[in-house]
Amino acid sequence: MSEPLLKMRDVRIDGFTDERWHEIIKGVDLDLHHGEVLGLIGESGAGKSTLGLAAMGFARPGCRLTSGEIVFDGMDLMAMSERRKQKLRGTRIAYVAQSAAAAFNPAHTLLKQTTEVAVRTGVMGQKEAEEYARELYAAMDLPNPRTIGERFPHQVSGGQLQRAMTAMAMCAKPDLIVFDEPTTALDVTTQVNVLAAMRKAVKDYNTAAIYITHDLAVVAQMADRIKVLRFGEEVEEQPTAQMLSDPKEDYTRSLWAVRGIEKPGESGPDKILELKKITAAYGTTPVLTKVNIAVPRGKTVALVGESGSGKSTTARVVTGLLPPVSGQVIFDGAPLPPELKNRSKDQLQKIQMIYQMADTAMNPKQSVGEIIGRPLRFYHGMSGTAQRERIAELLEMIELDPSFADRLPGELSGGQKQRVCIARALAAEPELIICDEVTSALDQIVQEGILKLLLRLQKELGVSYIFITHDIETVRAIADEVVVMYQGEVVEQGLKEEIFAPPHPDYTELLLSSVPQMEAGWLDRAIAERRELVDSRGEVATD
């Protein structure tokens, strides 16, 4: 067999925590050939992203490459100067990060940023690069691929921005791409197309790829081989089909079986929240049309649908951030003022929100105690000893030690950050919490912990949830009722068991059939089934 494009031997990396250096990658080997995809999986803290960045000869702040061998196309990255490595990055080695919002300059259009590296390094001219970028936009299933590049980052959805970042990485036709959780922000229907496009691009251009993910079903569709990491060490590595059918190690088998939660759905006669014929728009663009949704007290209603279906807009209407054009929001039997500024402190206190990205939802310079303490002061006037005691109670409630109050967000894992965001919402003592994709950025073991925590809190406190998600497995785990949305309308709603039982409206069938399965060849079958469900106009019937 030919020499690998990337060869890593006995790679060791230190991280600086608790005022000293700790070894976080402990002698890992890795080989990767042209046209091959290696999947890296493992729970938070396993070292997946750290190892992926090391493949570029890079260590993030707070980390250092200490020893080992990293050879890319015959070049020793460990011995290479930083200036030479920088010339490789973005051209011959590209990186697709999880957080697209942080990867784009808000002052420049998508097209300018997509083509910048290819043009600046002479890979192709401006016009050629722009045409190729539009081809990539189409391959990434972006709307209006000929013109979407003229938009600025804030003018597209998070999922669209994630796909644009993938196109940006591919534009210079690199030899190696490191994909770091690139489909986390995507709904299931979009994810199918994007995964297929990524896989096709890798094969068509004979590109090598490292695909980092916590989604086992996704890596099963993308990777030729899978490497499992834990605590910075390799657990095992096998070809994908063999790994799925016969994992050798107990830890790998535990990853395969982790998502076993399923809450039996049930409704209730008392409604904490009702949306009645809500129509909403951004400027002159309608986004919700006569939406009716009811949330039973003490229960969970999941809003599902692809990007642009109106899920997050519905949350903005409930919270008063987007006043509806018409219709009413009824909370606890009384109409809420449409605009946030006209709601009383008591009305604000009863509805809280937990956001998808805990990283950007907390001030990095404030301690956990300060973050949780703010709603205690604002809503309940707490300070001093009473506030400190309540912060300790809330931390214990979310299964964190009270000593976490002194830590900064940067000292927490992803799961711990999300728990702190849950504690902040609970500090207000709300009756309804809107959870917007709160587990999508977390690995499956941490997801399970967060879902179990939310279920326990609901049972103990009687709080109601609106759970916005594109993850059908999460819906099975936490929802009592399901609302399926499509292009700003409610397609169907009802108890979870009723919604998931066939026959389905075509759009619900499309959603359910787009959930990645842990079996080889699923992606090809899913693409074929989608073609059958989509009519000749490229639209999906909703009833």
Side-chain angles (χ1 to χ4, degrees):
M1 194 173 188
S2 62
E3 275 290 301
L5 173 70
L6 176 69
K7 182 171 70 173
M8 304 175 74
R9 293 290 181 270
D10 195 28
V11 173
R12 296 179 181 273
I13 303 173
D14 285 351
F16 192 77
T17 55
D18 298 328
E19 303 300 320
R20 64 190 182 94
W21 291 98
H22 303 264
E23 193 170 55
I24 55 176
I25 297 293
K26 305 169 183 177
V28 174
D29 297 343
L30 185 153
D31 283 348
L32 189 63
H33 291 80
H34 278 287
E36 184 180 39
V37 180
L38 174 69
L40 286 183
I41 66 170
E43 58 191 297
S44 294
K48 306 184 297 294
S49 294
T50 302
L51 188 63
L53 290 169
M56 307 171 68
F58 180 81
R60 70 180 75 198
C63 295
R64 64 184 183 188
L65 294 161
T66 56
S67 64
E69 183 182 18
I70 305 172
V71 178
F72 171 75
D73 199 17
M75 296 177 284
D76 184 352
L77 298 187
M78 292 287 280
M80 187 180 290
S81 70
E82 187 61 29
R83 185 173 181 179
R84 285 189 64 200
K85 284 188 286 189
Q86 287 176 352
K87 289 183 177 180
L88 290 176
R89 297 171 190 151
T91 53
R92 298 202 60 198
I93 307 174
Y95 180 74
V96 179
Q98 179 177 353
S99 178
F104 282 90
N105 186 327
H108 297 293
T109 64
L110 298 180
L111 188 62
K112 181 176 180 179
Q113 295 181 75
T114 302
T115 59
E116 180 181 5
V117 171
V119 174
R120 179 167 49 83
T121 57
V123 173
M124 59 186 82
Q126 184 67 48
K127 288 187 177 180
E128 183 187 0
E130 289 179 0
E131 189 58 35
Y132 184 55
R134 294 183 183 105
E135 290 177 15
L136 289 169
Y137 293 156
M140 291 294 112
D141 198 33
L142 284 165
N144 306 310
R146 302 296 304 175
T147 58
I148 194 170
E150 305 305 321
R151 298 184 190 180
F152 289 87
H154 70 276
Q155 294 176 310
V156 299
S157 71
Q160 290 168 350
L161 201 59
Q162 194 78 15
R163 284 173 275 168
M165 182 169 60
T166 303
M168 182 166 62
M170 290 181 169
C171 196
K173 300 182 180 178
D175 297 290
L176 169 63
I177 302 178
V178 179
F179 292 103
D180 195 351
E181 302 275 12
T183 62
T184 294
L186 305 182
D187 61 77
V188 289
T189 58
T190 302
Q191 181 175 246
V192 168
N193 281 347
V194 173
L195 289 174
M198 286 178 177
R199 193 178 66 179
K200 184 176 185 298
V202 166
K203 298 301 181 185
D204 286 353
Y205 295 106
N206 203 31
T207 304
I210 295 174
Y211 198 98
I212 300 164
T213 183
H214 62 252
D215 193 322
L216 307 176
V218 165
V219 81
Q221 308 313 313
M222 291 295 296
D224 301 292
R225 289 179 292 121
I226 296 175
K227 183 188 289 287
V228 182
L229 297 179
R230 189 185 193 197
F231 302 142
E233 297 181 285
E234 179 179 317
V235 176
E236 63 175 309
E237 179 182 324
Q238 292 193 62
T240 298
Q242 188 174 342
M243 184 74 87
L244 294 176
S245 62
D246 186 26
K248 301 300 182 187
E249 302 297 326
D250 289 342
Y251 175 69
T252 308
R253 287 192 286 271
S254 75
L255 288 177
W256 267 218
V258 75
R259 291 297 295 276
I261 312 172
E262 179 144 8
K263 176 186 180 184
E266 55 184 14
S267 188
D270 185 14
K271 307 300 181 187
I272 186 72
L273 178 78
E274 292 181 273
L275 303 186
K276 294 188 173 182
K277 295 184 178 180
I278 292 291
T279 295
Y282 292 119
T284 59
T285 305
V287 285
L288 295 178
T289 305
K290 295 183 179 179
V291 167
N292 295 296
I293 296 173
V295 180
R297 189 180 299 275
K299 305 297 179 184
T300 301
V301 172
L303 302 187
V304 301
E306 60 193 327
S307 296
S309 62
K311 307 186 300 297
S312 294
T313 300
T314 300
R316 289 174 64 83
V317 169
V318 172
T319 55
L321 294 173
L322 179 67
V325 174
S326 61
Q328 277 191 316
V329 179
I330 309 295
F331 185 81
D332 208 9
L336 285 176
E339 292 191 63
L340 179 71
K341 65 181 182 181
N342 295 326
R343 295 185 183 181
S344 66
K345 183 180 287 191
D346 182 59
Q347 289 170 328
L348 295 174
Q349 174 249 321
K350 289 181 179 179
I351 301 176
Q352 295 293 308
M353 191 157 179
I354 306 170
Y355 297 91
Q356 177 179 0
M357 300 303 296
D359 278 327
T360 56
M362 295 189 288
N363 187 328
K365 295 185 178 181
Q366 289 185 344
S367 70
V368 167
E370 290 173 315
I371 289 166
I372 298 174
R374 189 169 186 274
L376 292 176
R377 288 193 303 275
F378 183 75
Y379 291 116
H380 307 297
M382 278 191 187
S383 61
T385 302
Q387 185 188 91
R388 288 193 296 272
E389 289 176 351
R390 181 56 177 159
I391 290 170
E393 289 175 3
L394 287 163
L395 286 170
E396 289 178 343
M397 193 180 294
I398 59 164
E399 299 163 9
L400 291 179
D401 190 271
S403 63
F404 274 73
D406 297 323
R407 298 193 187 185
L408 293 172
E411 299 175 271
L412 309 181
S413 70
Q416 289 167 344
K417 290 175 187 175
Q418 200 59 283
R419 286 173 186 263
V420 171
C421 288
I422 292 169
R424 177 172 58 185
L426 292 174
E429 299 181 11
E431 295 181 24
L432 172 70
I433 298 178
I434 301 172
C435 304
D436 192 357
E437 300 278 11
V438 295
T439 60
S440 67
L442 306 175
D443 70 67
Q444 273 143 306
I445 289 177
V446 178
Q447 280 185 35
E448 182 181 34
I450 294 294
L451 293 174
K452 286 181 175 178
L453 171 65
L454 290 170
L455 289 170
R456 177 176 65 76
L457 292 171
Q458 186 173 64
K459 186 176 181 180
E460 292 175 359
L461 305 175
V463 66
S464 308
Y465 298 132
I466 294 177
F467 212 93
I468 298 169
T469 183
H470 60 254
D471 186 343
I472 301 301
E473 291 305 312
T474 296
V475 175
R476 295 185 194 279
I478 200 164
D480 294 290
E481 299 186 13
V482 179
V483 175
V484 181
M485 300 189 71
Y486 178 65
Q487 294 187 352
E489 298 182 9
V490 173
V491 175
E492 63 173 333
Q493 58 184 307
L495 284 171
K496 174 176 59 184
E497 287 79 2
E498 297 170 355
I499 299 299
F500 286 164
H504 309 291
D506 283 352
Y507 180 67
T508 305
E509 179 65 32
L510 180 65
L511 282 179
L512 296 176
S513 68
S514 298
V515 179
Q517 302 298 310
M518 282 180 47
E519 56 183 86
W522 172 85
L523 184 58
D524 294 326
R525 291 196 301 277
I527 291 292
E529 290 171 3
R530 284 166 65 84
R531 292 194 187 104
E532 294 178 8
L533 284 170
V534 177
D535 66 20
S536 60
R537 299 188 307 278
E539 298 172 347
V540 179
T542 58
D543 52 43

